[in-house]
């Protein structure tokens, strides 16, 4: 996994609440056996008509937001299915950070596994970032994970919380499986003890 | 010892390692796998030269993509992409030596129905699957939740998950349900109450008399939709009903091991004075048969209600409701019972078990599907299907005009050809009414199996109690 580095990028506003993973990547794209190439289908049904033409109103089709790397979204982003195709599609599109007041649990986890940072903020701060994002082209926000801040295009600095372990993994591009493999002796010890205590498992 | 919740007890029994900040390695007892969320994980193992750590605890079954038509043995019934995905699962199961129920096996079905049916799911276990409805298995008092594909790979390779503990939430349904009200109505009513993010950060334990009174099938329906309420998992403490259901299943313990298991299982309940971070209580007798009107499972109302006005909501929900009504083609003030239905779908891991089919058949018996409607039943597994045929339920469906299909996810997510067309309106026993979920621009109303049957007969959303005989209504 790539290391998560400080960046400045265009922020796109998506104020709709309950944006679900079916919206982020509709099921017809789940038939792939690869992780890559899903970016063109991110938000497919909101983004294209049935003939495959872009719907000009959709935020990521607007010239100002085509290269967005931050999404500022309404409550409960990423609810629904566990499909990791959702963060794969967003990452492949170029999204590195999603900001919302809340995220669905599985989507939230999935982001970290793919080098993406979901940021949870109180409503007022999300509103500030949303307003900023709505300005269009100039709304370039800076995300500094090390310092745990997101800075608006006007220079307003908003701090955010992030789990220390997850931060460490993102900053260093660490692969979870590799980390867990280092603890294989604990796993073996657990298996031994559990085989005695719960042999039917 | 300090008092514990059921979740605390199962969690504590599975922590293989814990860091100072509470990040834990949770040992996984059962890993269920299906064709859609696993190919990239197996590919990851191949690329890194890793193996499956505990193949005997890993169970795979294709369900999301498979056709449910009677001629599905013919590969031409699948699209090229679907076929490749199912074949990848065939190959991965074989290469990595995991338990497998292929499409032509009578035990094949939706992964969350197959697990309990085969006795893989047992009380006190940790169960995961690359699928959000893994919460279903919580009905057995197992800690069960959905994971993403990276985590599927992590569990395959290490048999553990990196986890932080969630908070404890108690959802109590007191009293008795009224006739015509089912487990599906309970679970939808809870989401209507808490919202789709109300459970975020929590593991829910469902308890109370109305939950105790439910069969195992009903309990699975309730836990299944814990995820729609945002929770990581839903749990119900095991009791005699649970043990009776599990006893004698192919992979349940036998003999001395059964006795040993029972000893532990009987300790799996929340202590009286355990701490709850959040408590929600609903009165069972106040729950009515419900339907959804919008495009989020929280858009729930009793069948007697009218379509709400967007302005009756607050904050971002106003715009979301406006969008939902537009998508659903509904007008505020319209009676829910006036909504005309084109299609009825009975099935899914929420309501594809034998009891669900019985409930629908009880309403359909001797009646016909309204002219011009499409109606289909997709049993949750080959064994559910066989049992329904034996009980004569299949005949009731067929005589009423329902299509009697093979097992799979089918129109719950419409990855196979079972899809709604643009604008087609469906009364569905599945769990998600998201935009496009059952087909591009398809319109979904979530209901119980009995309510689905009622809609099939009348052609519009209907209060099932109006179709029940007097004897049933007082039962
Ligand atoms: S039946 Fe529906 S919800 Fe259940 S596993 Fe299949 S697709 Fe998912």
């Amino acid at each position: 996994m790539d290391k998560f580095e400080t960046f400045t990028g265009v922020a796109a506003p998506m104020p709709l609440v309950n944006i679900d993973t079916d919206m982020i990547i509709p099921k017809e794209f789940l038939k792939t056996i690869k992780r890559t190439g899903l970016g063109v289908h991110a938000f497919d049904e909101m983004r294209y008509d049935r003939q495959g033409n872009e719907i000009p109103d959709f935020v990521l089709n607007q010239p100002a937001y085509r290269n967005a790397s931050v999404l500022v979204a309404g409550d409960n982003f990423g609810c629904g299915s566990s499909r990791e195709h959702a963060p794969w599609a967003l990452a492949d599109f170029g999204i590195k950070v999603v900001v919302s007041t809340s995220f669905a649990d599985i989507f939230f986890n999935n982001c970290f596994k793919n080098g993406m940072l979901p940021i949870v903020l109180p409503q007022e701060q999300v509103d500030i970032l949303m307003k900023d994002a709505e300005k269009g082209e100039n709304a370039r926000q800076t995300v500094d994970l090390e310092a745990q801040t997101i800075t608006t295009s006007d220079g307003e600095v908003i701090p955010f919380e992030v789990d220390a372990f997850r931060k460490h993994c993102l900053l260093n591009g660490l692969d979870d499986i590799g980390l867990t493999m280092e603890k294989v002796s604990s796993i073996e010890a657990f298996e031994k003890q559990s085989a005695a205590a719960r042999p039917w498992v | 010892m300090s008092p514990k919740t059921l979740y605390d007890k199962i969690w504590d029994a599975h922590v293989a390692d814990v860091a100072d900040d509470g990040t834990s390695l949770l040992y996984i007892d059962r890993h269920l796998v299906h064709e859609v969320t696993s190919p990239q994980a197996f590919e990851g193992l191949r690329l890194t030269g890793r193996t499956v750590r505990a193949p005997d605890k890993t169970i795979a079954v294709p369900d999301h993509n498979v056709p449910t038509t009677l001629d599905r043995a013919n590969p031409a019934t699948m699209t090229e992409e679907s076929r490749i995905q199912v074949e990848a699962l065939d190959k991965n199961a074989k290469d990595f030596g995991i338990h497998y129920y292929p499409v032509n096996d009578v035990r094949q079905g939706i992964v969350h129905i197959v697990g309990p049916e085969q006795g893989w799911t047992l009380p006190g276990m940790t169960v995961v699957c690359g699928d959000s409805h893994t919460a279903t298995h919580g009905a057995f008092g197992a800690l069960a939740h959905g994971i993403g594909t990276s985590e599927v790979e992590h569990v395959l390779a290490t048999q553990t998950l990196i986890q932080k503990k969630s908070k404890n939430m108690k959802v109590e349904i007191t009293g008795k349900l009224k006739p015509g009200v089912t487990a599906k109505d309970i679970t939808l009513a809870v989401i209507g109450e808490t919202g789709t993010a109300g459970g975020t950060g929590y593991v829910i334990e469902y308890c109370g008399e109305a939950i105790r009174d439910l069969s195992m099938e009903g309990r699975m329906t309730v836990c299944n939709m814990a995820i729609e309420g945002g929770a990581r998992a839903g749990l119900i403490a095991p009791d005699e009903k649970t043990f009776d259901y599990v006893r004698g299943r192919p992979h349940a313990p036998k003999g001395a091991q059964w006795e040993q298991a029972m000893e532990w299982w009987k300790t799996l309940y929340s202590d009286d004075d355990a701490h709850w971070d959040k408590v929600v209580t609903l009165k069972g007798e106040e729950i009515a048969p419900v339907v959804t009107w919008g495009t989020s499972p929280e858009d729930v109302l009793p069948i007697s209600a009218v379509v709400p006005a967007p302005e009756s909501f607050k904050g971002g929900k106003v715009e979301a409701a406006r969008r939902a009504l537009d998508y659903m083609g509904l007008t505020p003030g319209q009676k829910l019972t006036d909504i005309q239905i084109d299609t009825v779908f009975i099935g899914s891991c929420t309501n594809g078990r034998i009891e669900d089919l019985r409930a629908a058949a009880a309403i359909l018996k001797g009646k016909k599907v309204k002219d011009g409607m499409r109606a289909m039943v997709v049993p949750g597994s080959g064994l559910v299907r066989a049992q329904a045929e034996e009980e004569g339920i299949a005949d009731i469906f067929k005589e009423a005009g329902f299509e009697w299909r093979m097992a799979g996810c089918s129109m719950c997510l419409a990855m196979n050809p079972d899809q709604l067309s643009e604008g087609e309106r469906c009364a569905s026993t599945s769990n998600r009414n998201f935009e496009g979920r059952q087909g591009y621009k398809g319109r979904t109303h979530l209901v119980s199996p009995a309510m689905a049957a009622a809609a099939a007969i009348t052609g519009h959303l209907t209060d099932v109690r109006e179709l029940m005989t007097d004897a049933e209504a007082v039962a």
Side-chain angles (χ1 to χ4, degrees):
Chain A
M1 207 163 73
D2 291 339
K3 293 181 181 179
F4 189 100
E5 281 164 7
T6 300
F7 71 95
T8 302
V10 172
M14 292 191 90
L16 192 63
V17 300
N18 294 334
I19 292 182
D20 58 66
T21 51
D22 279 76
M23 285 181 184
I24 300 172
I25 186 81
K27 66 216 153 225
E28 53 263 46
F29 307 109
L30 306 189
K31 295 189 180 181
T32 173
I33 53 172
K34 298 201 230 88
R35 289 176 205 246
T36 49
L38 288 168
V40 287
H41 301 301
F43 299 105
D44 198 85
E45 287 179 7
M46 303 164 95
R47 196 164 149 203
Y48 307 106
D49 65 19
R50 262 334 221 182
Q51 285 69 48
N53 304 312
E54 287 187 3
I55 299 170
D57 284 354
F58 181 65
V59 59
L60 298 179
N61 287 335
Q62 295 168 20
Y65 298 113
R66 299 186 83 90
N67 298 317
S69 48
V70 177
L71 276 187
V72 187
D75 307 344
N76 198 26
F77 188 85
C79 57
S81 136
S82 66
R83 57 187 72 163
E84 198 159 319
H85 310 69
W88 292 339
L90 294 179
D92 197 52
F93 179 91
I95 302 295
K96 295 182 182 144
V97 167
V98 186
V99 180
S100 179
T101 55
S102 62
F103 290 89
D105 191 43
I106 305 176
F107 176 84
F108 188 76
N109 283 328
N110 283 341
C111 283
F112 288 99
K113 314 280 177 202
N114 293 283
M116 283 168 65
L117 175 64
I119 299 179
V120 182
L121 287 172
Q123 189 70 56
E124 296 133 55
Q125 264 100 35
V126 174
D127 289 346
I128 294 171
L129 293 168
M130 189 75 75
K131 273 226 172 70
D132 187 48
E134 280 165 357
K135 288 195 292 201
E137 206 105 47
N138 306 322
R140 294 170 67 83
Q141 300 178 352
T142 301
V143 180
D144 183 342
L145 175 57
E146 182 70 61
Q148 296 184 207
T149 57
I150 178 162
T151 308
T152 67
S153 57
D154 300 332
E156 180 169 353
V157 179
I158 296 174
F160 61 83
E161 297 291 325
V162 58
D163 179 79
F165 173 71
R166 287 177 152 150
K167 174 179 175 180
H168 172 75
C169 291
L170 273 187
L171 284 174
N172 297 290
L174 296 178
D175 153 39
D176 277 357
I177 298 180
L179 286 174
T180 299
M181 288 288 199
E182 290 171 14
K183 296 191 177 141
V184 72
S185 59
S186 308
I187 299 174
E188 280 167 1
F190 181 89
E191 281 174 336
K192 238 195 203 143
Q193 167 239 314
S194 133
R198 301 182 301 133
W200 64 87
V201 169
Chain B
M1 249 183 356
S2 59
K4 288 180 176 182
T5 63
L6 171 58
Y7 170 48
D8 297 337
K9 290 180 185 179
I10 304 175
W11 173 275
D12 290 350
H14 289 87
V15 175
D17 189 79
V18 55
D20 293 343
D21 69 346
T23 304
S24 304
L25 266 190
L26 197 69
Y27 194 80
I28 302 304
D29 294 329
R30 292 286 180 264
H31 186 191
L32 308 173
V33 175
H34 66 79
E35 80 278 20
V36 177
T37 55
S38 67
Q40 295 86 349
F42 285 110
E43 197 51 33
L45 292 186
R46 285 202 180 84
L47 288 172
T48 48
R50 291 170 175 143
T51 55
V52 175
R53 182 169 180 90
D56 55 323
K57 295 183 167 71
T58 313
I59 299 101
V61 58
D63 55 3
H64 282 62
N65 261 302
V66 298
T68 58
T69 45
L70 302 180
D71 61 347
R72 70 174 177 188
N74 175 3
T77 55
M78 262 197 254
T79 63
E80 171 82 359
E81 282 174 305
S82 294
R83 206 174 39 71
I84 291 174
Q85 217 169 40
V86 173
E87 282 172 5
L89 189 64
D90 289 345
K91 178 168 170 24
N92 289 328
K94 195 157 154 261
D95 287 0
F96 291 94
I98 62 186
H99 299 278
Y100 190 49
Y101 302 101
V103 181
N104 58 10
D105 189 313
V106 69
R107 297 166 299 176
Q108 178 270 347
I110 304 169
V111 62
H112 307 309
I113 292 189
V114 172
E117 211 166 62
Q118 294 302 318
W120 290 115
T121 308
L122 298 171
M125 283 186 161
T126 46
V127 181
V128 297
C129 175
D131 189 281
S132 54
H133 290 98
T134 311
T136 312
H137 308 263
F140 291 80
L143 176 58
H145 58 84
I147 55 179
T149 299
S150 295
E151 289 179 318
V152 170
E153 187 177 339
H154 192 278
V155 176
L156 289 172
T158 70
Q159 206 55 30
T160 63
L161 262 189
I162 301 176
Q163 287 274 296
K164 275 228 169 132
K165 203 171 167 204
S166 305
K167 289 180 285 185
N168 280 292
M169 175 165 169
K170 173 157 101 169
V171 172
E172 187 175 9
I173 317 292
T174 61
K176 300 256 180 227
L177 297 181
K178 289 265 165 60
V181 181
T182 67
K184 182 66 165 290
D185 301 299
I186 294 183
T187 202
L188 282 170
V190 171
I191 298 160
E193 177 78 20
T194 61
T196 46
T200 304
Y202 296 93
V203 164
I204 295 178
E205 181 175 340
Y206 299 94
C207 59
E209 188 184 352
I211 298 288
R212 291 263 77 94
D213 282 352
L214 292 175
S215 65
M216 287 313 294
E217 283 86 354
R219 293 179 190 183
M220 285 188 253
T221 301
V222 169
C223 288
N224 174 274
M225 292 191 71
I227 183 74
E228 268 64 52
R232 173 161 295 174
L235 282 171
I236 293 174
D239 60 10
E240 286 306 322
K241 274 187 201 166
T242 321
F243 308 140
D244 285 346
Y245 181 100
V246 168
R247 193 178 288 119
R249 303 246 160 210
H251 297 278
K254 315 253 153 39
Q257 286 200 356
W258 173 267
E259 300 304 327
Q260 194 185 353
M262 281 289 278
E263 230 171 90
W264 188 51
W265 292 348
K266 287 189 169 160
T267 68
L268 295 176
Y269 52 81
S270 291
D271 297 327
D272 281 344
D273 33 7
H275 172 75
W276 298 99
D277 301 289
K278 187 169 175 178
V279 178
V280 172
T281 308
L282 295 187
K283 292 196 177 113
E285 56 275 5
E286 288 180 2
I287 300 176
V290 293
V291 298
T292 61
W293 53 268
T295 54
S296 164
E298 70 190 8
D299 300 339
V300 176
L301 282 172
I303 181 68
S304 55
V306 298
V307 174
E311 301 74 42
S312 64
F313 297 96
K314 284 205 269 300
K317 189 70 193 175
V318 177
E319 190 46 43
R322 208 168 274 140
R323 184 182 164 99
L325 290 187
D326 182 50
Y327 181 89
M328 294 295 290
L330 298 175
T331 340
Q334 186 177 2
K335 280 164 87 175
L336 293 174
T337 47
D338 284 346
I339 298 174
Q340 303 294 313
I341 297 294
D342 306 307
T343 295
V344 169
F345 171 69
I346 296 178
S348 88
C349 59
T350 315
N351 285 130
R353 283 170 287 268
I354 189 70
E355 187 180 273
D356 302 312
L357 304 195
R358 285 185 194 133
I363 302 295
L364 284 169
K365 196 165 177 159
K367 304 224 168 62
K368 292 270 180 232
V369 170
K370 175 114 178 156
D371 272 352
M373 280 182 77
R374 161 156 88 134
M376 63 163 104
V377 193
V378 181
S381 72
L383 290 176
V384 168
R385 187 172 194 275
Q387 189 177 347
E389 288 183 340
E390 211 180 287
E391 292 183 14
I393 290 172
D395 291 330
I396 297 179
F397 280 116
K398 286 192 251 178
E399 278 157 25
F402 270 79
E403 285 176 57
W404 180 244
R405 296 287 194 116
M406 303 294 277
C409 294
S410 178
M411 204 189 264
C412 174
L413 94 163
M415 263 188 92
N416 72 0
D418 308 341
Q419 302 185 358
L420 296 180
S421 54
E422 229 172 296
E424 190 174 345
R425 191 181 295 280
C426 180
S428 177
T429 67
S430 56
N431 44 53
R432 287 192 176 134
N433 50 351
F434 296 158
E435 289 181 19
R437 171 78 177 184
Q438 296 195 291
Y440 182 76
K441 298 261 194 246
R443 294 165 170 167
T444 302
H445 296 277
L446 301 176
V447 291
S448 74
M451 289 281 282
I457 296 167
T458 63
H460 56 84
L461 291 178
T462 299
D463 188 334
V464 62
R465 293 171 296 192
E466 287 167 15
L467 297 185
M468 289 163 65
T469 61
D470 293 346
E472 287 162 345
V474 290

